[in-house]
Amino acid sequence: MNSAKTARARGLVLPVLLAGLLTGCAGLLGSDGTGYADLKAGDCFTNPSTESGAENEEVVEVVEVDLIPCDEPHQQEVFFVSEMSGGDYPGEGVLDLNAKNVCTEEFEGYVGSTVEETTLIAGYIIPTPESWDQENDRAIMCTLGDTTGEEVSESYKDSGL
């Protein structure tokens, strides 16, 4: 069995991703065998299961995501992946700032509207100190979802939403 990476997810704009902040994302390995580190721009997935089971908490632990074709019902879509350079863990604040900047910059090119104009929830997933050190995780993943958390059956690419 592959060791699963951990990550933290946050929102770019309010309301934030998944109606709260996802943190301590332990075991992002979907039941279909897709690991968090294997997600790429254009991949769609359902909202991760949470260990606590409380969907509207400000902080929840992510257990898994399931990769789904974007033309089938899903809740989230990866729109950009950026790799940070190596070295020591830069800290959550530095990763948050980097993620906000890169995801905001890349949003319009993928969706066709700006983060300020969108009707979507934009967010990002960043490495935890553990995944940075133990798994060499350097990925910042920019994500999109519907503000209601409802499932959609199409990609947000070039949607202008």
Side-chain angles (χ1 to χ4, degrees), residues 27-155:
L28 278 175
L29 184 62
S31 61
D32 64 358
T34 301
Y36 150 77
D38 297 325
L39 292 173
K40 60 191 179 305
D43 282 349
C44 297
F45 59 95
T46 58
N47 284 343
S49 300
T50 60
E51 263 186 29
S52 66
E55 297 251 346
N56 291 322
E57 289 182 8
E58 285 211 11
V59 177
V60 294
E61 275 195 37
V62 175
V63 176
E64 63 183 17
V65 299
D66 292 321
L67 187 64
I68 296 173
C70 291
D71 61 355
E72 294 182 16
H74 64 277
Q75 294 168 309
Q76 295 289 316
E77 181 171 345
V78 176
F79 71 92
F80 189 75
V81 178
S82 176
E83 291 288 326
M84 296 283 296
S85 59
D88 292 336
Y89 183 73
E92 194 171 310
V94 170
L95 288 172
D96 278 339
L97 182 59
N98 187 299
K100 286 176 186 175
N101 289 335
V102 73
C103 294
T104 300
E105 289 171 12
E106 298 297 329
F107 186 90
E108 186 172 5
Y110 191 84
V111 177
S113 63
T114 67
V115 171
E116 295 80 20
E117 299 169 324
T118 190
T119 60
L120 302 172
I121 296 172
Y124 54 87
I125 302 170
I126 59 173
T128 61
E130 297 79 19
S131 68
W132 186 277
D133 291 338
Q134 297 169 9
E135 305 286 341
N136 201 32
D137 180 13
R138 305 293 187 267
I140 292 174
M141 296 192 181
C142 305
T143 62
L144 300 166
D146 182 86
T147 57
T148 65
E150 294 297 315
E151 293 182 335
V152 296
S153 296
E154 59 190 343
S155 173

